[in-house]
Amino acid sequence: PIVYNFETANTNAKLAVYDMAGRVAYTTALDNNAGLHTVQLPSNTLQAGMYIINISTDNGNVQQRMIIK
């Protein structure tokens, strides 16, 4: 699996992974506990390439690029 770590405040959060064509490759809802979260992304469904990780919370969105080799 691909492990992704990030931190959130005490809020509802959702993580979504998009391929470069804008298709959803993976999505999951996260618990609303503040602190560090660890998500294991399914490596068997994500091909080599570039992806956008989008974390949506009640406070806004954060996007990061991820490259799988």
Side-chain angles (χ1 to χ4, degrees):
I2 301 161
V3 178
Y4 183 72
N5 297 306
F6 60 95
E7 194 167 352
T8 64
N10 192 11
T11 181
N12 294 320
K14 181 176 117 176
L15 180 137
V17 178
Y18 297 92
D19 66 15
M20 295 312 292
R23 295 179 295 236
V24 175
Y26 179 78
T27 185
T28 186
L30 306 168
D31 62 41
N32 61 355
N33 296 328
L36 185 65
H37 296 271
T38 299
V39 175
Q40 291 189 359
L41 302 174
S43 58
N44 60 337
T45 61
L46 298 174
Q47 303 289 329
M50 186 180 296
Y51 294 87
I52 302 294
I53 297 175
N54 184 62
I55 301 170
S56 302
T57 69
D58 295 338
N59 299 324
N61 296 329
V62 174
Q63 294 183 340
Q64 293 182 339
R65 285 184 281 180
M66 173 179 69
I67 297 174
I68 297 177
K69 295 182 179 183

Short mmCIF file of all heavy atoms in Angstrom, two decimals:
data_model
loop_
_atom_site.label_atom_id
_atom_site.label_comp_id
_atom_site.label_asym_id
_atom_site.label_seq_id
_atom_site.Cartn_x
_atom_site.Cartn_y
_atom_site.Cartn_z
N PRO A 1 0.83 -1.21 0.00
CA PRO A 1 0.00 0.00 0.00
C PRO A 1 0.86 1.26 0.00
O PRO A 1 2.03 1.23 0.36
CB PRO A 1 -0.80 -0.11 1.29
CG PRO A 1 -0.01 -1.02 2.17
CD PRO A 1 0.76 -1.93 1.25
N ILE A 2 0.26 2.34 -0.41
CA ILE A 2 0.90 3.65 -0.41
C ILE A 2 0.39 4.37 0.83
O ILE A 2 -0.82 4.55 1.00
CB ILE A 2 0.55 4.43 -1.68
CG1 ILE A 2 1.00 3.65 -2.91
CG2 ILE A 2 1.17 5.82 -1.64
CD1 ILE A 2 0.33 4.08 -4.17
N VAL A 3 1.27 4.82 1.70
CA VAL A 3 0.87 5.45 2.95
C VAL A 3 0.96 6.96 2.79
O VAL A 3 1.96 7.49 2.31
CB VAL A 3 1.76 4.98 4.12
CG1 VAL A 3 1.37 5.67 5.40
CG2 VAL A 3 1.64 3.47 4.27
N TYR A 4 -0.11 7.65 3.18
CA TYR A 4 -0.17 9.10 3.09
C TYR A 4 -0.54 9.65 4.46
O TYR A 4 -1.54 9.22 5.04
CB TYR A 4 -1.21 9.52 2.04
CG TYR A 4 -1.28 11.00 1.81
CD1 TYR A 4 -0.26 11.66 1.14
CD2 TYR A 4 -2.35 11.73 2.28
CE1 TYR A 4 -0.32 13.02 0.94
CE2 TYR A 4 -2.41 13.10 2.08
CZ TYR A 4 -1.40 13.72 1.41
OH TYR A 4 -1.45 15.08 1.21
N ASN A 5 0.26 10.56 4.99
CA ASN A 5 0.03 11.15 6.32
C ASN A 5 -0.30 12.63 6.17
O ASN A 5 0.31 13.32 5.36
CB ASN A 5 1.27 11.01 7.20
CG ASN A 5 1.61 9.58 7.48
OD1 ASN A 5 0.78 8.82 7.95
ND2 ASN A 5 2.83 9.20 7.19
N PHE A 6 -1.24 13.11 6.97
CA PHE A 6 -1.58 14.54 7.00
C PHE A 6 -2.28 14.85 8.31
O PHE A 6 -2.72 13.96 9.02
CB PHE A 6 -2.46 14.92 5.80
CG PHE A 6 -3.76 14.17 5.76
CD1 PHE A 6 -4.91 14.72 6.29
CD2 PHE A 6 -3.83 12.91 5.21
CE1 PHE A 6 -6.09 14.02 6.27
CE2 PHE A 6 -5.01 12.21 5.18
CZ PHE A 6 -6.15 12.77 5.71
N GLU A 7 -2.37 16.12 8.60
CA GLU A 7 -2.95 16.57 9.86
C GLU A 7 -4.17 17.44 9.59
O GLU A 7 -4.18 18.23 8.66
CB GLU A 7 -1.91 17.36 10.65
CG GLU A 7 -2.28 17.59 12.08
CD GLU A 7 -1.12 18.09 12.92
OE1 GLU A 7 0.01 18.13 12.42
OE2 GLU A 7 -1.37 18.45 14.08
N THR A 8 -5.22 17.26 10.42
CA THR A 8 -6.42 18.08 10.31
C THR A 8 -6.83 18.59 11.68
O THR A 8 -6.43 18.06 12.70
CB THR A 8 -7.61 17.29 9.72
OG1 THR A 8 -7.96 16.24 10.61
CG2 THR A 8 -7.30 16.74 8.35
N ALA A 9 -7.67 19.61 11.65
CA ALA A 9 -8.29 20.12 12.87
C ALA A 9 -9.51 19.24 13.16
O ALA A 9 -9.83 18.32 12.41
CB ALA A 9 -8.69 21.57 12.69
N ASN A 10 -10.22 19.53 14.20
CA ASN A 10 -11.41 18.77 14.59
C ASN A 10 -12.56 19.13 13.65
O ASN A 10 -13.37 19.99 13.95
CB ASN A 10 -11.76 19.08 16.05
CG ASN A 10 -12.79 18.12 16.58
OD1 ASN A 10 -13.09 17.12 15.96
ND2 ASN A 10 -13.32 18.43 17.74
N THR A 11 -12.62 18.47 12.50
CA THR A 11 -13.61 18.78 11.49
C THR A 11 -13.86 17.56 10.61
O THR A 11 -13.05 16.63 10.59
CB THR A 11 -13.12 19.97 10.62
OG1 THR A 11 -14.11 20.28 9.65
CG2 THR A 11 -11.82 19.65 9.93
N ASN A 12 -14.96 17.56 9.90
CA ASN A 12 -15.22 16.50 8.93
C ASN A 12 -14.20 16.62 7.80
O ASN A 12 -13.88 17.73 7.36
CB ASN A 12 -16.62 16.62 8.34
CG ASN A 12 -17.68 16.37 9.39
OD1 ASN A 12 -17.54 15.48 10.22
ND2 ASN A 12 -18.73 17.16 9.36
N ALA A 13 -13.69 15.51 7.33
CA ALA A 13 -12.69 15.54 6.26
C ALA A 13 -12.93 14.39 5.29
O ALA A 13 -13.42 13.33 5.67
CB ALA A 13 -11.28 15.44 6.85
N LYS A 14 -12.58 14.65 4.05
CA LYS A 14 -12.68 13.63 3.00
C LYS A 14 -11.42 13.70 2.16
O LYS A 14 -10.95 14.80 1.83
CB LYS A 14 -13.90 13.89 2.13
CG LYS A 14 -14.11 12.88 1.03
CD LYS A 14 -15.40 13.16 0.30
CE LYS A 14 -15.08 13.50 -1.13
NZ LYS A 14 -16.27 13.71 -1.96
N LEU A 15 -10.84 12.57 1.84
CA LEU A 15 -9.67 12.50 0.99
C LEU A 15 -10.08 11.89 -0.34
O LEU A 15 -10.77 10.85 -0.36
CB LEU A 15 -8.58 11.64 1.64
CG LEU A 15 -7.30 11.50 0.84
CD1 LEU A 15 -6.10 11.63 1.76
CD2 LEU A 15 -7.26 10.21 0.08
N ALA A 16 -9.70 12.53 -1.42
CA ALA A 16 -9.98 12.00 -2.76
C ALA A 16 -8.71 12.06 -3.59
O ALA A 16 -7.93 13.02 -3.48
CB ALA A 16 -11.09 12.79 -3.43
N VAL A 17 -8.48 11.03 -4.39
CA VAL A 17 -7.34 10.98 -5.29
C VAL A 17 -7.88 11.02 -6.71
O VAL A 17 -8.77 10.22 -7.07
CB VAL A 17 -6.51 9.69 -5.07
CG1 VAL A 17 -5.35 9.63 -6.04
CG2 VAL A 17 -6.01 9.63 -3.63
N TYR A 18 -7.37 11.96 -7.52
CA TYR A 18 -7.80 12.13 -8.90
C TYR A 18 -6.64 11.84 -9.84
O TYR A 18 -5.51 12.25 -9.56
CB TYR A 18 -8.28 13.56 -9.15
CG TYR A 18 -9.48 13.94 -8.34
CD1 TYR A 18 -9.33 14.56 -7.10
CD2 TYR A 18 -10.77 13.69 -8.79
CE1 TYR A 18 -10.43 14.92 -6.33
CE2 TYR A 18 -11.88 14.05 -8.03
CZ TYR A 18 -11.70 14.66 -6.80
OH TYR A 18 -12.78 15.00 -6.05
N ASP A 19 -6.93 11.18 -10.97
CA ASP A 19 -5.89 11.05 -11.98
C ASP A 19 -5.83 12.35 -12.78
O ASP A 19 -6.62 13.27 -12.56
CB ASP A 19 -6.12 9.81 -12.86
CG ASP A 19 -7.37 9.89 -13.72
OD1 ASP A 19 -7.96 10.98 -13.88
OD2 ASP A 19 -7.78 8.84 -14.23
N MET A 20 -4.89 12.44 -13.70
CA MET A 20 -4.70 13.70 -14.42
C MET A 20 -5.82 14.00 -15.41
O MET A 20 -5.92 15.11 -15.91
CB MET A 20 -3.34 13.71 -15.12
CG MET A 20 -2.17 13.68 -14.14
SD MET A 20 -2.30 14.87 -12.77
CE MET A 20 -2.12 16.41 -13.62
N ALA A 21 -6.70 13.05 -15.66
CA ALA A 21 -7.87 13.29 -16.50
C ALA A 21 -9.05 13.77 -15.66
O ALA A 21 -10.13 14.02 -16.19
CB ALA A 21 -8.24 12.02 -17.26
N GLY A 22 -8.87 13.88 -14.33
CA GLY A 22 -9.93 14.35 -13.45
C GLY A 22 -10.84 13.26 -12.92
O GLY A 22 -11.82 13.55 -12.25
N ARG A 23 -10.53 12.00 -13.22
CA ARG A 23 -11.35 10.89 -12.73
C ARG A 23 -10.97 10.56 -11.29
O ARG A 23 -9.80 10.59 -10.93
CB ARG A 23 -11.15 9.66 -13.61
CG ARG A 23 -11.63 9.87 -15.04
CD ARG A 23 -11.37 8.62 -15.85
NE ARG A 23 -9.92 8.41 -15.95
CZ ARG A 23 -9.25 8.29 -17.09
NH1 ARG A 23 -9.89 8.34 -18.23
NH2 ARG A 23 -7.95 8.10 -17.08
N VAL A 24 -11.97 10.21 -10.50
CA VAL A 24 -11.72 9.81 -9.11
C VAL A 24 -11.11 8.42 -9.12
O VAL A 24 -11.70 7.47 -9.63
CB VAL A 24 -13.02 9.82 -8.28
CG1 VAL A 24 -12.77 9.30 -6.88
CG2 VAL A 24 -13.61 11.21 -8.24
N ALA A 25 -9.91 8.30 -8.53
CA ALA A 25 -9.23 7.01 -8.45
C ALA A 25 -9.44 6.37 -7.09
O ALA A 25 -9.38 5.15 -6.95
CB ALA A 25 -7.73 7.19 -8.72
N TYR A 26 -9.69 7.20 -6.06
CA TYR A 26 -9.89 6.69 -4.70
C TYR A 26 -10.52 7.79 -3.87
O TYR A 26 -10.21 8.97 -4.05
CB TYR A 26 -8.55 6.28 -4.09
CG TYR A 26 -8.65 5.77 -2.68
CD1 TYR A 26 -9.08 4.48 -2.42
CD2 TYR A 26 -8.32 6.58 -1.59
CE1 TYR A 26 -9.19 4.00 -1.12
CE2 TYR A 26 -8.42 6.11 -0.29
CZ TYR A 26 -8.85 4.83 -0.06
OH TYR A 26 -8.97 4.37 1.21
N THR A 27 -11.40 7.42 -2.96
CA THR A 27 -11.99 8.40 -2.04
C THR A 27 -12.31 7.70 -0.72
O THR A 27 -12.62 6.51 -0.69
CB THR A 27 -13.25 9.06 -2.64
OG1 THR A 27 -13.70 10.08 -1.75
CG2 THR A 27 -14.35 8.07 -2.88
N THR A 28 -12.20 8.47 0.36
CA THR A 28 -12.55 7.94 1.68
C THR A 28 -12.94 9.08 2.60
O THR A 28 -12.40 10.18 2.49
CB THR A 28 -11.40 7.12 2.29
OG1 THR A 28 -11.85 6.51 3.50
CG2 THR A 28 -10.19 7.97 2.60
N ALA A 29 -13.89 8.83 3.47
CA ALA A 29 -14.24 9.79 4.52
C ALA A 29 -13.35 9.51 5.72
O ALA A 29 -12.99 8.36 5.99
CB ALA A 29 -15.71 9.64 4.90
N LEU A 30 -12.99 10.55 6.43
CA LEU A 30 -12.09 10.43 7.58
C LEU A 30 -12.83 10.78 8.85
O LEU A 30 -13.80 11.54 8.83
CB LEU A 30 -10.90 11.36 7.39
CG LEU A 30 -10.15 11.18 6.07
CD1 LEU A 30 -9.20 12.31 5.85
CD2 LEU A 30 -9.43 9.85 6.08
N ASP A 31 -12.36 10.23 9.96
CA ASP A 31 -12.99 10.59 11.23
C ASP A 31 -12.74 12.06 11.52
O ASP A 31 -11.85 12.67 10.95
CB ASP A 31 -12.50 9.70 12.37
CG ASP A 31 -11.01 9.82 12.61
OD1 ASP A 31 -10.48 10.94 12.56
OD2 ASP A 31 -10.37 8.79 12.87
N ASN A 32 -13.54 12.63 12.38
CA ASN A 32 -13.42 14.08 12.64
C ASN A 32 -12.57 14.39 13.86
O ASN A 32 -12.72 15.43 14.47
CB ASN A 32 -14.81 14.73 12.75
CG ASN A 32 -15.62 14.16 13.89
OD1 ASN A 32 -15.22 13.22 14.55
ND2 ASN A 32 -16.79 14.74 14.12
N ASN A 33 -11.65 13.50 14.20
CA ASN A 33 -10.73 13.77 15.29
C ASN A 33 -9.58 14.63 14.79
O ASN A 33 -9.05 14.41 13.71
CB ASN A 33 -10.16 12.47 15.86
CG ASN A 33 -11.24 11.62 16.49
OD1 ASN A 33 -12.21 12.14 17.04
ND2 ASN A 33 -11.10 10.31 16.40
N ALA A 34 -9.19 15.60 15.58
CA ALA A 34 -8.05 16.44 15.23
C ALA A 34 -6.77 15.63 15.36
O ALA A 34 -6.67 14.71 16.16
CB ALA A 34 -7.99 17.66 16.14
N GLY A 35 -5.79 15.98 14.54
CA GLY A 35 -4.49 15.34 14.67
C GLY A 35 -4.01 14.70 13.40
O GLY A 35 -4.51 14.97 12.31
N LEU A 36 -3.03 13.84 13.54
CA LEU A 36 -2.39 13.18 12.41
C LEU A 36 -3.25 12.01 11.93
O LEU A 36 -3.71 11.20 12.72
CB LEU A 36 -1.01 12.68 12.82
CG LEU A 36 -0.16 12.06 11.72
CD1 LEU A 36 0.19 13.10 10.66
CD2 LEU A 36 1.10 11.48 12.31
N HIS A 37 -3.45 11.94 10.63
CA HIS A 37 -4.20 10.85 10.01
C HIS A 37 -3.25 10.09 9.08
O HIS A 37 -2.41 10.68 8.43
CB HIS A 37 -5.37 11.38 9.17
CG HIS A 37 -6.40 12.09 9.98
ND1 HIS A 37 -7.47 11.43 10.54
CD2 HIS A 37 -6.53 13.38 10.32
CE1 HIS A 37 -8.22 12.31 11.20
NE2 HIS A 37 -7.66 13.50 11.08
N THR A 38 -3.43 8.80 9.02
CA THR A 38 -2.68 7.96 8.10
C THR A 38 -3.68 7.21 7.24
O THR A 38 -4.58 6.56 7.75
CB THR A 38 -1.79 6.97 8.85
OG1 THR A 38 -0.85 7.69 9.65
CG2 THR A 38 -1.04 6.06 7.89
N VAL A 39 -3.52 7.34 5.92
CA VAL A 39 -4.39 6.66 4.98
C VAL A 39 -3.53 5.74 4.13
O VAL A 39 -2.50 6.15 3.62
CB VAL A 39 -5.14 7.67 4.08
CG1 VAL A 39 -5.95 6.95 3.02
CG2 VAL A 39 -6.03 8.57 4.91
N GLN A 40 -3.96 4.49 3.99
CA GLN A 40 -3.27 3.57 3.10
C GLN A 40 -4.02 3.54 1.78
O GLN A 40 -5.14 3.04 1.71
CB GLN A 40 -3.20 2.18 3.72
CG GLN A 40 -2.28 2.10 4.90
CD GLN A 40 -2.05 0.68 5.38
OE1 GLN A 40 -2.59 -0.26 4.82
NE2 GLN A 40 -1.25 0.53 6.41
N LEU A 41 -3.39 4.09 0.75
CA LEU A 41 -3.99 4.12 -0.57
C LEU A 41 -3.76 2.77 -1.24
O LEU A 41 -2.68 2.19 -1.10
CB LEU A 41 -3.37 5.24 -1.41
CG LEU A 41 -3.49 6.64 -0.81
CD1 LEU A 41 -2.71 7.63 -1.65
CD2 LEU A 41 -4.94 7.06 -0.71
N PRO A 42 -4.74 2.28 -1.98
CA PRO A 42 -4.61 0.95 -2.59
C PRO A 42 -3.66 0.97 -3.79
O PRO A 42 -3.99 1.48 -4.85
CB PRO A 42 -6.04 0.62 -3.02
CG PRO A 42 -6.67 1.96 -3.23
CD PRO A 42 -6.03 2.89 -2.25
N SER A 43 -2.48 0.42 -3.62
CA SER A 43 -1.48 0.45 -4.70
C SER A 43 -1.88 -0.44 -5.88
O SER A 43 -1.40 -0.23 -6.98
CB SER A 43 -0.12 0.03 -4.16
OG SER A 43 -0.19 -1.26 -3.60
N ASN A 44 -2.76 -1.39 -5.66
CA ASN A 44 -3.17 -2.26 -6.76
C ASN A 44 -4.12 -1.58 -7.74
O ASN A 44 -4.28 -2.05 -8.86
CB ASN A 44 -3.80 -3.55 -6.23
CG ASN A 44 -5.04 -3.28 -5.41
OD1 ASN A 44 -5.22 -2.20 -4.87
ND2 ASN A 44 -5.90 -4.28 -5.28
N THR A 45 -4.74 -0.47 -7.37
CA THR A 45 -5.66 0.23 -8.28
C THR A 45 -5.07 1.52 -8.84
O THR A 45 -5.65 2.11 -9.74
CB THR A 45 -6.99 0.56 -7.59
OG1 THR A 45 -6.72 1.41 -6.48
CG2 THR A 45 -7.69 -0.69 -7.11
N LEU A 46 -3.93 1.96 -8.33
CA LEU A 46 -3.30 3.19 -8.81
C LEU A 46 -2.11 2.83 -9.68
O LEU A 46 -1.12 2.30 -9.21
CB LEU A 46 -2.87 4.07 -7.63
CG LEU A 46 -3.98 4.56 -6.71
CD1 LEU A 46 -3.40 5.30 -5.52
CD2 LEU A 46 -4.94 5.45 -7.47
N GLN A 47 -2.23 3.12 -10.97
CA GLN A 47 -1.16 2.85 -11.92
C GLN A 47 -0.04 3.88 -11.75
O GLN A 47 -0.23 4.91 -11.12
CB GLN A 47 -1.71 2.95 -13.35
CG GLN A 47 -2.87 2.03 -13.64
CD GLN A 47 -2.44 0.58 -13.72
OE1 GLN A 47 -1.33 0.28 -14.13
NE2 GLN A 47 -3.33 -0.32 -13.34
N ALA A 48 1.10 3.62 -12.35
CA ALA A 48 2.19 4.60 -12.35
C ALA A 48 1.71 5.87 -13.04
O ALA A 48 1.00 5.83 -14.04
CB ALA A 48 3.40 4.03 -13.07
N GLY A 49 2.04 7.02 -12.47
CA GLY A 49 1.65 8.30 -13.04
C GLY A 49 1.49 9.36 -11.98
O GLY A 49 1.85 9.17 -10.82
N MET A 50 0.95 10.51 -12.40
CA MET A 50 0.76 11.64 -11.48
C MET A 50 -0.70 11.71 -11.06
O MET A 50 -1.61 11.48 -11.87
CB MET A 50 1.16 12.95 -12.14
CG MET A 50 1.10 14.13 -11.18
SD MET A 50 1.56 15.70 -11.93
CE MET A 50 3.24 15.39 -12.35
N TYR A 51 -0.91 12.02 -9.80
CA TYR A 51 -2.25 12.12 -9.23
C TYR A 51 -2.35 13.39 -8.40
O TYR A 51 -1.35 13.93 -7.95
CB TYR A 51 -2.55 10.92 -8.31
CG TYR A 51 -2.63 9.61 -9.05
CD1 TYR A 51 -1.48 8.87 -9.30
CD2 TYR A 51 -3.83 9.14 -9.52
CE1 TYR A 51 -1.54 7.67 -9.98
CE2 TYR A 51 -3.91 7.93 -10.20
CZ TYR A 51 -2.76 7.21 -10.44
OH TYR A 51 -2.82 6.03 -11.13
N ILE A 52 -3.57 13.84 -8.19
CA ILE A 52 -3.85 14.97 -7.30
C ILE A 52 -4.58 14.42 -6.08
O ILE A 52 -5.60 13.73 -6.21
CB ILE A 52 -4.74 16.04 -7.98
CG1 ILE A 52 -4.08 16.56 -9.25
CG2 ILE A 52 -5.09 17.15 -7.01
CD1 ILE A 52 -2.81 17.34 -9.01
N ILE A 53 -4.03 14.70 -4.90
CA ILE A 53 -4.70 14.33 -3.65
C ILE A 53 -5.42 15.58 -3.15
O ILE A 53 -4.81 16.63 -3.00
CB ILE A 53 -3.70 13.85 -2.60
CG1 ILE A 53 -3.00 12.59 -3.09
CG2 ILE A 53 -4.39 13.60 -1.27
CD1 ILE A 53 -1.90 12.11 -2.18
N ASN A 54 -6.72 15.46 -2.94
CA ASN A 54 -7.52 16.57 -2.46
C ASN A 54 -8.09 16.21 -1.09
O ASN A 54 -8.75 15.19 -0.93
CB ASN A 54 -8.67 16.88 -3.42
CG ASN A 54 -9.45 18.09 -2.99
OD1 ASN A 54 -8.92 19.18 -2.91
ND2 ASN A 54 -10.73 17.91 -2.69
N ILE A 55 -7.80 17.05 -0.10
CA ILE A 55 -8.36 16.87 1.24
C ILE A 55 -9.36 18.00 1.46
O ILE A 55 -8.99 19.18 1.43
CB ILE A 55 -7.27 16.90 2.31
CG1 ILE A 55 -6.26 15.80 2.04
CG2 ILE A 55 -7.89 16.76 3.70
CD1 ILE A 55 -5.02 15.88 2.87
N SER A 56 -10.62 17.64 1.62
CA SER A 56 -11.70 18.60 1.84
C SER A 56 -12.12 18.56 3.29
O SER A 56 -12.40 17.48 3.83
CB SER A 56 -12.91 18.26 0.97
OG SER A 56 -12.57 18.24 -0.38
N THR A 57 -12.17 19.72 3.93
CA THR A 57 -12.66 19.82 5.30
C THR A 57 -13.69 20.93 5.36
O THR A 57 -13.90 21.64 4.38
CB THR A 57 -11.52 20.13 6.29
OG1 THR A 57 -11.06 21.46 6.07
CG2 THR A 57 -10.37 19.15 6.15
N ASP A 58 -14.30 21.10 6.52
CA ASP A 58 -15.25 22.19 6.71
C ASP A 58 -14.54 23.54 6.60
O ASP A 58 -15.18 24.56 6.36
CB ASP A 58 -15.92 22.09 8.08
CG ASP A 58 -16.79 20.84 8.19
OD1 ASP A 58 -17.21 20.30 7.14
OD2 ASP A 58 -17.04 20.40 9.32
N ASN A 59 -13.22 23.54 6.76
CA ASN A 59 -12.44 24.78 6.74
C ASN A 59 -11.84 25.10 5.37
O ASN A 59 -11.20 26.12 5.21
CB ASN A 59 -11.32 24.72 7.77
CG ASN A 59 -11.86 24.55 9.17
OD1 ASN A 59 -12.91 25.09 9.50
ND2 ASN A 59 -11.18 23.79 9.99
N GLY A 60 -11.99 24.20 4.39
CA GLY A 60 -11.45 24.45 3.06
C GLY A 60 -10.85 23.19 2.45
O GLY A 60 -11.03 22.09 2.95
N ASN A 61 -10.11 23.39 1.35
CA ASN A 61 -9.50 22.29 0.61
C ASN A 61 -7.99 22.48 0.52
O ASN A 61 -7.51 23.61 0.46
CB ASN A 61 -10.03 22.23 -0.82
CG ASN A 61 -11.50 21.90 -0.87
OD1 ASN A 61 -12.01 21.20 -0.02
ND2 ASN A 61 -12.18 22.42 -1.88
N VAL A 62 -7.29 21.36 0.48
CA VAL A 62 -5.85 21.36 0.25
C VAL A 62 -5.59 20.33 -0.84
O VAL A 62 -6.14 19.23 -0.79
CB VAL A 62 -5.07 20.98 1.53
CG1 VAL A 62 -3.58 20.83 1.24
CG2 VAL A 62 -5.30 22.00 2.61
N GLN A 63 -4.75 20.69 -1.83
CA GLN A 63 -4.40 19.76 -2.88
C GLN A 63 -2.89 19.59 -2.93
O GLN A 63 -2.15 20.54 -2.72
CB GLN A 63 -4.89 20.25 -4.23
CG GLN A 63 -6.39 20.28 -4.34
CD GLN A 63 -6.86 20.71 -5.70
OE1 GLN A 63 -6.13 21.32 -6.46
NE2 GLN A 63 -8.09 20.37 -6.02
N GLN A 64 -2.48 18.35 -3.20
CA GLN A 64 -1.06 18.03 -3.37
C GLN A 64 -0.92 17.08 -4.53
O GLN A 64 -1.82 16.28 -4.81
CB GLN A 64 -0.49 17.39 -2.11
CG GLN A 64 -0.44 18.30 -0.92
CD GLN A 64 0.20 17.61 0.28
OE1 GLN A 64 0.26 16.41 0.36
NE2 GLN A 64 0.68 18.41 1.21
N ARG A 65 0.23 17.14 -5.19
CA ARG A 65 0.52 16.20 -6.27
C ARG A 65 1.23 14.97 -5.69
O ARG A 65 2.00 15.08 -4.73
CB ARG A 65 1.41 16.84 -7.32
CG ARG A 65 0.63 17.80 -8.19
CD ARG A 65 1.50 18.33 -9.26
NE ARG A 65 2.33 19.39 -8.64
CZ ARG A 65 3.22 20.09 -9.27
NH1 ARG A 65 3.47 19.86 -10.55
NH2 ARG A 65 3.91 21.02 -8.65
N MET A 66 0.97 13.84 -6.31
CA MET A 66 1.62 12.60 -5.92
C MET A 66 2.04 11.89 -7.19
O MET A 66 1.27 11.80 -8.15
CB MET A 66 0.65 11.71 -5.14
CG MET A 66 1.18 10.34 -4.83
SD MET A 66 0.03 9.32 -3.87
CE MET A 66 -1.27 9.02 -5.05
N ILE A 67 3.28 11.40 -7.22
CA ILE A 67 3.77 10.65 -8.37
C ILE A 67 4.02 9.22 -7.91
O ILE A 67 4.70 8.97 -6.92
CB ILE A 67 5.06 11.27 -8.92
CG1 ILE A 67 4.76 12.69 -9.43
CG2 ILE A 67 5.63 10.39 -10.03
CD1 ILE A 67 6.00 13.45 -9.87
N ILE A 68 3.46 8.29 -8.67
CA ILE A 68 3.69 6.87 -8.41
C ILE A 68 4.58 6.36 -9.54
O ILE A 68 4.26 6.52 -10.72
CB ILE A 68 2.37 6.08 -8.37
CG1 ILE A 68 1.50 6.59 -7.21
CG2 ILE A 68 2.63 4.59 -8.24
CD1 ILE A 68 0.16 5.93 -7.13
N LYS A 69 5.71 5.76 -9.16
CA LYS A 69 6.65 5.26 -10.17
C LYS A 69 6.48 3.78 -10.36
O LYS A 69 6.10 3.06 -9.52
CB LYS A 69 8.08 5.56 -9.75
CG LYS A 69 8.36 7.04 -9.70
CD LYS A 69 9.77 7.28 -9.33
CE LYS A 69 10.05 8.79 -9.32
NZ LYS A 69 11.42 9.09 -9.02
#
